[in-house]
């Protein structure tokens, strides 16, 4: 699967592949970060990015799917971009 395909992979498909061990939240997030960085100068879509924090969470989700997949929450490992600015404790 190409990096671009990973960026547009439906959530239900991501979850199924995560649970089977055929795809990792880290792989998906890496593809999404690369895509964001490649288009961001032209789009100017992000005020703030939290890629390091997101990667830490993706690694934790990857570990959970590998060791205890039954404990994974419904959207475990799925990344999200929030369009509107909203206050988040501890963030600018």
């Amino acid at each position: 699967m190409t990096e671009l395909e990973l960026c547009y992979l439906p959530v239900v498909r991501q979850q199924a592949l995560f649970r089977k061990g055929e795809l990792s939240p880290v792989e998906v997030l890496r593809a999404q970060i690369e895509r964001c960085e490649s288009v961001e100068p032209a789009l100017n879509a992000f005020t703030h990015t939290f890629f390091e924090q997101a990667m830490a969470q993706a690694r934790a989700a990857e570990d959970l799917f590998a060791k205890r997949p039954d404990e994974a929450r419904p959207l475990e490992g799925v990344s999200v971009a929030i369009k509107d600015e909203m206050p988040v404790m501890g963030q600018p």
Side-chain angles (χ1 to χ4, degrees):
M1 195 172 306
T2 69
E3 288 181 4
L4 191 57
E5 289 171 325
L6 287 176
C7 291
Y8 293 100
L9 192 64
V11 170
V12 292
R13 184 79 175 120
Q14 285 182 38
Q15 288 286 295
L17 294 171
F18 293 164
R19 290 183 190 286
K20 291 179 183 177
E22 295 176 11
L23 183 65
S24 157
V26 172
E27 291 175 277
V28 175
L29 183 61
R30 279 190 184 131
Q32 292 168 337
I33 290 171
E34 286 182 26
R35 179 74 173 153
C36 288
E37 290 176 341
S38 71
V39 300
E40 180 51 23
L43 293 181
N44 194 29
F46 297 105
T47 305
H48 301 287
T49 58
F50 303 96
F51 295 147
E52 289 178 20
Q53 181 182 0
M55 188 56 73
Q57 292 171 345
R59 285 188 184 105
E62 178 182 63
D63 187 57
L64 182 65
F65 279 113
K67 295 178 181 174
R68 302 178 312 279
D70 294 340
E71 293 180 23
R73 298 170 292 179
L75 295 175
E76 193 79 49
V78 175
S79 57
V80 63
I82 299 172
K83 182 180 182 241
D84 294 326
E85 287 191 32
M86 44 193 331
V88 176
M89 187 182 296
Q91 302 297 340

